[in-house]
Amino acid sequence: MEKLTLGEEGELPVRIAAAIRDAIVEGRLISDQRLPSEQELAEQFGVSRPTVREALKRLAAQSLIRTQRGATGGAFVNRLSYDDAASQLITTSTLLLSMNAVDFETACEARYALERACVPFAAARRKADHVVAMRAEIRRQALPDLTDESFCASDVAFHRALVDAAGNPVLSYQLAGAVEAMQPLMNMITFTARSRERIVALHTAIADAIDAGDATAADTVLAELAAYTSALAEDVRRARSARAAGMTG
Amino acid sequence: MEKLTLGEEGELPVRIAAAIRDAIVEGRLISDQRLPSEQELAEQFGVSRPTVREALKRLAAQSLIRTQRGATGGAFVNRLSYDDAASQLITTSTLLLSMNAVDFETACEARYALERACVPFAAARRKADHVVAMRAEIRRQALPDLTDESFCASDVAFHRALVDAAGNPVLSYQLAGAVEAMQPLMNMITFTARSRERIVALHTAIADAIDAGDATAADTVLAELAAYTSALAEDVRRARSARAAGMTG
DNA sequence: AACAGGTCAAATGTCAAACATTTAATGTCT
DNA sequence: AGACATTAAATGTTTGACATTTGACCTGTT
């Protein structure tokens, strides 16, 4: 590996991590390539081993590298998989939503807008197994003794299958993050108010439309589902403010 | 802070980081709250200070905490801002695209699909300053002696303004990641083949449509822009394979 | 000659103790 | 009362050591 140069400002581990990250992004370090040992890196950068370790750990936290112990061990450039990227996106989005008091309306709007963006592709390219997966989840959702948690999980799986049907991994990755991150917020309203029959009916209509390759119909139903979810949220909000008023007045 | 419990498997810093992250996600640690000192954490978890530090650095790499030196220093729970989240998303997406040889077609399709999802909201809610920003970028793009780099940067800024006009920060955050991450890929084709006049004309049409609140028109033009970009990519690809064939044959 | 086993070395993981640096609070002098 | 020096607390960094893991190599047996 050629020599890396450090930036000017900031703390040492940050600068070292940035130098290595740049090397990866710019292709000077390629997937599965082994980095020099911590000792060698320490000498190259003129710092101590713990400092190098902190830098490597920062990169490991972002899944940019993986470390392996033992004789042939070391730090290796990670080939970032869609799954790794998606799980990071989910973590980030979940935190973003929970820490910024994003109102349900905004998150919900974003989620369905993104999902509707997938529908034309899903209708055009759906494979049999995507439709099978969607219908399987619908059957699960129709089971009368399903717990709320399981229903919600199945809901996520249904939408995941819909998005995957679009056959665009970049879209899937972005959507998976949005859908999963919204799950806690969704649960807050859906546990209390939602009609499973209504949801199942809408899901069935979506699956039918996708199966038939009818993007327009699928989009219409999805819009209806978005409106229904939004209305539910409104109900919950009204109920809450009424209860709050009752408690203070 | 109440006591945190470690998970069962994995390395110590990973488990410690996970314990703290869970506490943040679940709201047991709230924004701007100060964590115990590294020394105290080390005692609580029964590990050494460097181990705690590694855990904290993992969290800092994800912008979950920030550290501050000095007398009243320490580690503080970070309120994850949209900007922080967006920059992480950009890093992740950029790497994902560069390391997985995502073909231009897939990335381009995803990008414009997401952007078109914003258009109805942008048309409905655009404020004057968004339109002003879009038109300012268009004027920049029309300057004859603009470098390719500046043109591309202005291109990103234009689309950013379009997305922001939708008035949904969650959408903005997701889109910003997609658009910026695609920039290197876009540059590869646009430096060589694109007609600035055509782009400027399309951008102008989009700005006009958004300004007029005409979502359908804006969507149509955006679809046209997507098709044009896609066609350019096709040209570049054909030229490349022809050149490659010429070299080998 | 092939295989099983043990030994070894290299690398990361962890710990301990110290020193450096930064920062704000505190106390003191004018 | 305000300016300035002191101090304490915290993170940043270094050094050195030991623990653990794991593949490579050597060796002995079949």
Side-chain angles (χ1 to χ4, degrees):
Chain A
M1 192 179 85
E2 85 231 63
K3 211 124 137 232
L4 299 174
T5 54
L6 260 53
E8 288 295 312
E9 47 191 63
E11 286 146 9
L12 283 172
V14 175
R15 284 154 61 190
I16 294 169
I20 298 175
R21 176 169 48 243
D22 287 348
I24 294 175
V25 170
E26 291 167 17
R28 302 203 305 278
L29 291 171
I30 60 176
S31 292
D32 299 325
Q33 186 173 345
R34 185 179 169 288
L35 295 175
S37 74
E38 296 177 353
Q39 195 59 250
E40 290 173 290
L41 284 173
E43 286 163 14
Q44 275 189 31
F45 288 119
V47 298
S48 69
R49 203 184 132 211
T51 303
V52 167
R53 274 184 69 76
E54 281 198 10
L56 294 179
K57 291 308 153 187
R58 294 185 85 95
L59 299 174
Q62 298 177 310
S63 304
L64 265 78
I65 63 171
R66 63 180 183 279
T67 57
Q68 197 177 352
R69 296 214 281 191
T72 60
F76 297 84
V77 179
N78 225 354
R79 181 194 181 93
L80 189 64
S81 69
Y82 281 104
D83 280 351
D84 286 339
S87 81
Q88 279 184 243
L89 178 56
I90 289 167
T91 304
T92 304
S93 296
T94 303
L95 273 161
L96 185 63
L97 294 190
S98 72
M99 295 174 80
N100 284 277
V102 173
D103 60 291
F104 187 84
E105 196 63 31
T106 302
C108 190
E109 176 180 292
R111 176 203 183 293
Y112 282 108
L114 295 176
E115 194 162 338
R116 287 173 72 182
C118 294
V119 161
F121 304 114
R125 300 183 196 147
R126 84 270 176 247
K127 295 278 184 293
D129 54 344
H130 296 131
V131 178
V132 166
M134 289 167 74
R135 294 204 191 281
E137 294 302 334
I138 292 173
R139 270 197 305 280
R140 256 178 79 76
Q141 291 160 21
L143 297 177
D145 54 353
L146 199 68
T147 63
D148 282 331
E149 286 81 3
S150 298
F151 187 87
C152 288
S154 173
D155 191 22
V156 169
F158 172 84
H159 288 282
R160 177 83 206 222
L162 170 59
V163 170
D164 285 343
N168 186 316
V170 177
L171 272 178
S172 291
Y173 141 72
Q174 290 250 354
L175 262 287
V179 172
E180 284 217 27
M182 275 207 60
Q183 190 65 357
L185 276 176
M186 295 286 280
N187 288 354
M188 275 170 35
I189 71 145
T190 55
F191 273 20
T192 58
R194 125 165 106 179
S195 155
R196 290 194 186 178
E197 289 75 18
R198 180 82 191 273
I199 300 285
V200 167
L202 290 168
H203 283 180
T204 305
I206 291 171
D208 288 344
I210 296 293
D211 201 358
D214 186 343
T216 309
D219 185 68
T220 305
V221 181
L222 203 49
E224 201 178 331
L225 181 56
Y228 175 56
T229 308
S230 198
L232 278 181
E234 178 68 17
D235 286 349
V236 170
R237 217 184 46 186
R238 260 207 304 272
R240 265 189 207 147
S241 56
R243 202 172 50 215
M247 284 167 68
T248 59
Chain B
M1 190 178 88
E2 86 230 62
K3 211 125 138 229
L4 299 175
T5 55
L6 260 53
E8 288 295 311
E9 46 191 63
E11 287 146 9
L12 283 171
V14 175
R15 284 154 61 192
I16 294 169
I20 297 174
R21 176 167 50 241
D22 287 348
I24 295 174
V25 171
E26 292 168 16
R28 301 204 305 280
L29 290 171
I30 59 175
S31 292
D32 299 326
Q33 187 172 345
R34 186 180 167 285
L35 293 176
S37 74
E38 296 178 354
Q39 196 58 250
E40 289 173 291
L41 284 173
E43 286 163 16
Q44 274 188 32
F45 287 119
V47 299
S48 70
R49 206 186 130 209
T51 304
V52 168
R53 275 184 68 78
E54 281 199 11
L56 295 180
K57 290 308 154 189
R58 294 186 87 95
L59 299 175
Q62 299 177 309
S63 305
L64 263 77
I65 62 170
R66 63 181 182 280
T67 57
Q68 196 178 350
R69 297 214 278 191
T72 60
F76 297 84
V77 178
N78 224 355
R79 181 193 183 93
L80 189 64
S81 69
Y82 282 103
D83 280 351
D84 287 339
S87 81
Q88 281 185 239
L89 177 56
I90 289 167
T91 304
T92 304
S93 296
T94 303
L95 273 161
L96 186 64
L97 295 190
S98 72
M99 295 174 83
N100 284 277
V102 173
D103 59 292
F104 187 83
E105 195 63 31
T106 302
C108 190
E109 175 179 292
R111 175 205 183 293
Y112 281 108
L114 295 176
E115 193 161 340
R116 287 173 71 183
C118 293
V119 161
F121 304 114
R125 302 184 194 144
R126 84 272 176 246
K127 295 277 183 293
D129 53 345
H130 296 130
V131 178
V132 166
M134 290 168 72
R135 295 204 189 280
E137 294 302 333
I138 292 173
R139 270 197 306 279
R140 255 179 79 76
Q141 290 159 21
L143 297 178
D145 54 353
L146 200 67
T147 64
D148 282 331
E149 286 82 2
S150 297
F151 187 87
C152 288
S154 174
D155 191 21
V156 169
F158 173 84
H159 288 281
R160 177 84 207 220
L162 170 59
V163 170
D164 284 344
N168 185 316
V170 176
L171 273 178
S172 292
Y173 142 71
Q174 290 249 354
L175 261 288
V179 172
E180 285 218 25
M182 277 207 56
Q183 190 66 357
L185 275 177
M186 294 287 281
N187 287 355
M188 276 170 33
I189 71 145
T190 54
F191 272 21
T192 57
R194 126 166 105 180
S195 153
R196 289 194 186 180
E197 288 74 18
R198 179 83 190 276
I199 300 286
V200 168
L202 290 168
H203 282 179
T204 305
I206 292 171
D208 287 344
I210 294 293
D211 201 357
D214 186 344
T216 309
D219 185 69
T220 304
V221 181
L222 203 49
E224 199 177 334
L225 181 57
Y228 175 57
T229 309
S230 196
L232 279 181
E234 177 69 16
D235 287 349
V236 170
R237 219 184 45 186
R238 259 208 305 274
R240 268 192 204 143
S241 54
R243 201 171 51 211
M247 284 168 67
T248 59

